[in-house]
Amino acid sequence: MESQRTFLFIGLLLVSFLLFQEWNNEKLQANADTSATTQQVTAPSSSIAQDDDVPASTQNDVPAAVTKAVRSVITVKTDVLDVKIDTKGGDVVEAKLLQHAETHGSDTPFLLLGEFEGRQYISQSGLIGLHGPDANPEGRPVYTAPQKAYELSGDELRVPLTFVDNKGVQYTKTYVFKAGKYDVELEYTVNNTTSDPIQVQLYTQVKRTVQPKGSMVDQTYLGATYGTSEEKYEKYSFEDMAEANLNKNTQGGYIAFIQHYFVSAWVPDQSVNNTIYTLLRNNQGIIGVKGEAVNVQANNALSLTSTFYMGPKDGDALEAIHPDLDLTVDFGWLFFISQPLLVLLKLIYSFIGNWGLAIIAITILVKMALYPLTKAQYTSMAKMRALQPKMMQLKERYGDDRQKMGQATMELYRKEKVNPMGGCLPLLLQMPIFLALFYVFLESPELRHAEFMFWLTDLSAKDPYYVLPILFGASMFLTQKLQPMTVTDPMQQKMMTYMPIVFTFFFILFPFPSGLVLYWLVSNLITIAQMLYIYRGMEKQGIKVRD
């Protein structure tokens, strides 16, 4: 497979993918508009959620709730999180990430959970089952708290919320925040002060307003994901929710909502059997997990636990919570290549201290490691180019007799010791590595708002002056000029001539992150240097490479 055809093939794939993406977005938006009701989710300025989406409970022996407490919002601040908790249900209704800016150069923290122009994104948890207060038809419980505001001053901060029903059963929902951590422990303690046993079932879920995904370069997959004991990582989009509710039984497992650079996830008790479910209601997509129904004996207490993560896609931090949760850093099916490359990229950055230079360094290292394949590719292409006069002679001799032409061609290849697939196979072996690098640069939160030098102050954003796309187009043009032209069809030759221009406008129209374009540009420049070195060596051996 010649490099010219490869450029064309990749270009057609990218254009086709983006066209499909836009069609898919319009379709999803139409579905969302159709399913939306007149009851829009619009919270007041206090950020209190206005609806209760509780998973179905077949039990109906729930005691009447005590509703004397006044609903309010509790604020919790740590060194990395600024969180608001609604006392009704004890839900996390807002979360700001203090170490991540909303926009580049802004002092405003990134809003991960909360209200987004009428769209809602919150975390919910509670107790359903025979005596679960969240299953009460009169509404979810309203908790009381010792304070209205909390701030972490040590290594750990406990925020207890308490509710007592009309039978005297005490439910204490405690969030445990830790310094430098985006994961929060949830401890649910049920103190049964009655003379009868009670039964409850813990559920945890994330709810987000249905919304279509943006373009490929704006963000990666936006939607729900989950993992079970048999399926390490599965996506379940809003469209999937519209088609059918998910219902998976598993020991352990996890659920999450992911977006570009960030994730929210619930990791339940891994020692018990859980049910992973989805709901789609009032234009709200929900993914959650229910634990087993448990009995709390008379005059006894029982604690149930779960972990909630709300923060950047930090693979190490996610893996520490659940061994498969790091897969939400969505590197696609090439994750087993992308993950080591990300480790290498971080290692290089630890020495260099600049993500742009780290990208250049890892590109050089990868291209050097793949040099034997590159040499095999261009050597084969050059040899094929040198055979073109003899191929034309065979074509003139055998004309339209394809059988004899094929036999004569194979004999020529054997005699000249040329492998017709020699230019294709090395390229195919290199493609997974470069595609894995593509996802590393696209998905890694470390590159969000990372500065390089000069005008490139954010490697996750487009080049504001389009210098990199233009340089990339120029490098692609030079690559084509240096390569031996093996394409003989005039139409294909003309298409190859225009490909650098097409790719340049492609990178300008679709705002690819400048870090990605920098990687492609450096890769092209190294390829040019390697090509010149390889061809110079072949010409010394008497092999004619170019006209």
Side-chain angles (χ1 to χ4, degrees):
M1 181 186 296
E2 299 87 347
S3 276
Q4 295 97 335
R5 290 180 178 174
T6 304
F7 280 131
L8 178 60
F9 176 70
I10 294 174
L12 291 175
L13 278 181
L14 286 171
V15 172
S16 300
F17 177 82
L18 289 169
L19 288 175
F20 170 78
Q21 184 103 342
E22 292 303 317
W23 173 84
N24 193 48
N25 289 343
E26 292 177 4
K27 181 172 178 258
L28 181 54
Q29 182 63 59
N31 291 340
D33 293 342
T34 302
S35 64
T37 64
T38 55
Q39 187 180 9
Q40 282 288 340
V41 181
T42 306
S45 58
S46 60
S47 296
I48 296 179
Q50 297 299 300
D51 55 345
D52 298 323
D53 285 304
V54 178
S57 175
T58 57
Q59 313 296 343
N60 54 16
D61 190 22
V62 181
V66 176
T67 57
K68 295 180 181 179
V70 178
R71 186 180 185 183
S72 61
V73 169
I74 299 169
T75 61
V76 183
K77 190 171 184 179
T78 73
D79 54 336
V80 295
L81 291 169
D82 188 351
V83 172
K84 290 184 179 179
I85 301 173
D86 186 354
T87 57
K88 181 178 181 181
D91 298 333
V92 178
V93 295
E94 184 175 290
K96 294 179 180 178
L97 309 185
L98 301 179
Q99 303 297 321
H100 297 265
E102 186 72 38
T103 57
H104 181 63
S106 169
D107 294 329
T108 304
F110 180 77
L111 182 65
L112 178 61
L113 303 181
E115 297 289 334
F116 309 87
E117 300 179 352
R119 299 183 185 273
Q120 188 183 54
Y121 183 18
I122 64 175
S123 168
Q124 297 180 310
S125 57
L127 295 175
I128 54 176
L130 186 62
H131 301 95
D134 289 272
N136 196 299
E138 295 183 6
R140 300 179 67 201
V142 178
Y143 291 84
T144 59
Q147 302 172 210
K148 295 296 183 183
Y150 293 82
E151 186 165 356
L152 178 70
S153 59
D155 294 332
E156 182 178 288
L157 173 65
R158 300 179 67 87
V159 180
L161 309 173
T162 304
F163 169 76
V164 181
D165 68 18
N166 66 347
K167 290 186 177 181
V169 180
Q170 180 176 304
Y171 302 89
T172 303
K173 186 176 187 179
T174 304
Y175 286 101
V176 183
F177 295 83
K178 296 181 180 180
K181 299 288 187 179
Y182 292 98
D183 50 294
V184 180
E185 295 294 327
L186 172 66
E187 298 177 0
Y188 231 128
T189 302
V190 182
N191 186 11
N192 182 10
T193 58
T194 71
S195 57
D196 298 314
I198 62 174
Q199 187 182 90
V200 295
Q201 185 178 12
L202 176 65
Y203 80 91
T204 55
Q205 64 185 29
V206 180
K207 177 170 68 173
R208 185 163 191 160
T209 304
V210 175
Q211 61 188 98
K213 178 183 174 185
S215 69
M216 181 183 71
V217 295
D218 288 334
Q219 59 189 18
T220 51
Y221 171 78
L222 187 155
T225 66
Y226 67 91
T228 68
S229 57
E230 296 180 352
E231 302 165 297
K232 291 185 176 183
Y233 174 73
E234 294 292 332
K235 296 177 181 178
Y236 210 78
S237 66
F238 292 119
E239 288 179 306
D240 294 327
M241 294 181 191
E243 293 178 2
N245 285 331
L246 183 66
N247 187 27
K248 291 268 186 178
N249 295 318
T250 180
Q251 180 172 340
Y254 68 87
I255 60 97
F257 251 110
I258 66 174
Q259 63 190 69
H260 201 190
Y261 299 129
F262 301 101
V263 58
S264 64
W266 276 107
V267 180
D269 187 342
Q270 298 297 292
S271 65
V272 303
N273 291 322
N274 299 299
T275 301
I276 294 175
Y277 62 88
T278 61
L279 300 170
L280 188 62
R281 181 183 301 164
N282 295 331
N283 203 32
Q284 301 287 318
I286 295 173
I287 187 166
V289 56
K290 293 185 291 186
E292 298 175 320
V294 295
N295 295 315
V296 185
Q297 300 302 320
N299 298 308
N300 256 297
L302 179 70
S303 292
L304 302 171
T305 61
S306 189
T307 302
F308 181 59
Y309 182 92
M310 43 184 163
K313 290 179 177 178
D314 183 333
D316 294 335
L318 293 168
E319 188 177 16
I321 303 170
H322 188 284
D324 300 326
L325 193 58
D326 63 322
L327 295 177
T328 57
V329 186
D330 195 3
F331 292 136
W333 65 276
L334 291 171
F335 68 92
F336 57 93
I337 302 177
S338 295
Q339 288 176 340
L341 287 174
L342 178 58
V343 172
L344 177 59
L345 181 65
K346 289 181 178 179
L347 179 63
I348 295 172
Y349 174 77
S350 67
F351 289 101
I352 298 178
N354 182 292
W355 285 109
L357 294 177
I359 289 175
I360 294 174
I362 195 173
T363 307
I364 293 173
L365 289 176
V366 170
K367 291 292 288 185
M368 288 175 61
L370 295 176
Y371 176 73
L373 293 176
T374 303
K375 183 177 181 180
Q377 174 189 349
Y378 286 110
T379 299
S380 177
M381 290 172 57
K383 289 182 177 179
M384 289 291 293
R385 171 68 177 84
L387 287 181
Q388 288 301 309
K390 295 182 179 180
M391 292 290 294
M392 293 301 296
Q393 292 175 6
L394 292 179
K395 189 172 182 180
E396 293 174 0
R397 182 183 305 173
Y398 295 108
D400 296 331
D401 192 333
R402 293 188 177 182
Q403 183 176 357
K404 289 185 178 181
M405 178 65 183
Q407 292 174 348
T409 301
M410 295 307 296
E411 177 63 23
L412 178 62
Y413 289 154
R414 186 192 63 80
K415 182 180 178 181
E416 298 291 338
K417 297 180 181 181
V418 173
N419 182 0
M421 298 297 293
C424 179
L425 291 178
L427 181 63
L428 292 178
L429 292 173
Q430 295 176 63
M431 286 302 292
I433 297 176
F434 286 109
L435 186 59
L437 269 176
F438 172 90
Y439 279 107
V440 166
F441 299 144
L442 185 66
E443 185 73 355
S444 301
E446 291 84 357
L447 297 181
R448 183 176 185 265
H449 299 167
E451 295 188 1
F452 179 29
M453 60 178 62
F454 306 124
W455 72 98
L456 296 174
T457 58
D458 184 358
L459 290 171
S460 66
K462 68 176 182 178
D463 182 338
Y465 303 112
Y466 306 110
V467 175
L468 289 181
I470 293 172
L471 290 177
F472 172 81
S475 69
M476 188 176 177
F477 177 78
L478 181 57
T479 302
Q480 286 192 354
K481 288 297 182 183
L482 293 174
Q483 286 177 353
M485 179 62 73
T486 58
V487 176
T488 57
D489 181 69
M491 181 60 69
Q492 290 189 39
Q493 288 182 349
K494 185 174 293 186
M495 291 179 66
M496 293 305 162
T497 302
Y498 288 113
M499 281 305 293
I501 300 174
V502 172
F503 266 80
T504 300
F505 279 100
F506 183 81
F507 285 150
I508 291 175
L509 293 176
F510 296 96
F512 280 85
S514 55
L516 278 174
V517 186
L518 175 64
Y519 149 65
W520 278 318
L521 171 61
V522 173
S523 180
N524 266 10
L525 294 176
I526 298 172
T527 298
I528 291 171
Q530 290 179 338
M531 190 188 311
L532 290 172
Y533 179 77
I534 293 168
Y535 289 164
R536 186 177 301 169
M538 295 181 66
E539 288 171 350
K540 288 181 180 179
Q541 298 175 16
I543 301 175
K544 186 179 180 181
V545 177
R546 298 180 296 270
D547 292 330

